Amino acid sequence: MASLLTPPPSLLLQPKVNPRGLKNTSTNPPSKLFNQNSLRSVKGHGLCFVTKAKVAFEGDVIEKQSVQVNDSNDYGVVSVHHVGVLCENLERSLDFYQNILGLEINEARPHDKLPYRGAWLWIGSEMIHLMELPNPDPLTGRPEHGGRDRHTCIAIRDVSKLKAIFDKAGIPYTLSKSGRPAIFARDPDANALEFTQVDN
């Protein structure tokens, strides 16, 4: 099977250079990684440099494609600033987000300038914006596993510690179906939350 995933040696030795001077280089062993670069015309973006990488892990193949757009479409994306979460009762939601999850309110964000009640909660350098507004989503009939629903993912250090917190508080959850260290739960308004364990 590994021979099907590894390109012929002659293909790996041929560097591909596009008109912009970008070239294919890889320091990984050829049996583990295969990069393929090409220049494509993408509607709305003009010419784009496309890199495809196939990586083999114990017989499985993962294919990832990234696209670099030309400078005229680069408007300076930095990160996700905040995620808006609807709630029926702000105090009930704050009890969950502050007392169970341990999130802190960003006091610098204005609460009184919007036509509805809300709160901004820190998640690292980003935020959740709780908004007390009617929720158009049904509270029942949602998937049991939050990973099969719209969800917000929060990076954490220790899934097992959060699992113990949920157990103590009686909050239902599911673990990642892929086996990776992640846990899914819902807030009091059935908004799905994923907590994935990261090293840094």
Side-chain angles (χ1 to χ4, degrees):
M1 182 75 170
S3 62
L4 295 175
L5 302 175
T6 306
S10 59
L11 185 58
L12 286 173
L13 297 175
Q14 298 172 0
K16 295 185 178 190
V17 180
N18 75 23
R20 296 180 188 213
L22 298 172
K23 59 183 159 181
N24 178 26
T25 59
S26 175
T27 58
N28 293 322
S31 62
K32 296 292 182 189
L33 176 66
F34 169 53
N35 284 331
Q36 180 183 16
N37 293 325
S38 63
L39 194 61
R40 291 188 189 166
S41 177
V42 177
K43 185 178 179 182
H45 298 294
L47 290 177
C48 295
F49 185 68
V50 176
T51 301
K52 278 189 176 181
K54 287 186 178 178
V55 184
F57 292 102
E58 298 177 11
D60 293 330
V61 175
I62 300 170
E63 187 170 325
K64 187 173 185 178
Q65 179 172 321
S66 63
V67 177
Q68 296 174 338
V69 296
N70 61 27
D71 290 339
S72 67
N73 292 332
D74 180 9
Y75 52 92
V77 173
V78 176
S79 69
V80 172
H81 182 269
H82 71 273
V83 174
V85 175
L86 301 179
C87 65
E88 183 181 21
N89 180 288
L90 183 62
E91 287 72 26
R92 182 181 67 179
S93 293
L94 284 173
D95 182 55
F96 174 80
Y97 283 93
Q98 287 185 289
N99 298 331
I100 302 294
L101 299 182
L103 303 184
E104 296 180 8
I105 290 181
N106 178 354
E107 298 292 349
R109 297 296 297 184
H111 300 288
D112 56 348
K113 297 189 181 201
L114 298 172
Y116 50 84
R117 295 180 352 120
W120 298 82
L121 300 160
W122 284 113
I123 301 177
S125 60
E126 287 76 32
M127 292 170 280
I128 284 181
H129 183 196
L130 287 177
M131 300 177 288
E132 191 177 78
L133 292 168
N135 190 343
D137 292 327
L139 298 180
T140 60
R142 306 285 286 277
E144 179 187 357
H145 181 60
R148 296 181 56 90
D149 200 353
R150 282 186 298 273
H151 62 278
T152 300
C153 182
I154 300 170
I156 63 173
R157 300 262 185 253
D158 190 347
V159 164
S160 62
K161 188 171 182 181
L162 182 59
K163 182 178 176 292
I165 291 169
F166 284 164
D167 285 337
K168 183 176 180 183
I171 295 172
Y173 58 83
T174 57
L175 300 177
S176 172
K177 303 295 185 189
S178 68
R180 64 189 170 83
I183 189 169
F184 293 80
R186 291 188 181 272
D187 74 2
D189 294 278
N191 296 302
L193 300 168
E194 174 183 357
F195 302 87
T196 188
Q197 187 169 305
V198 296
D199 294 330
N200 311 8

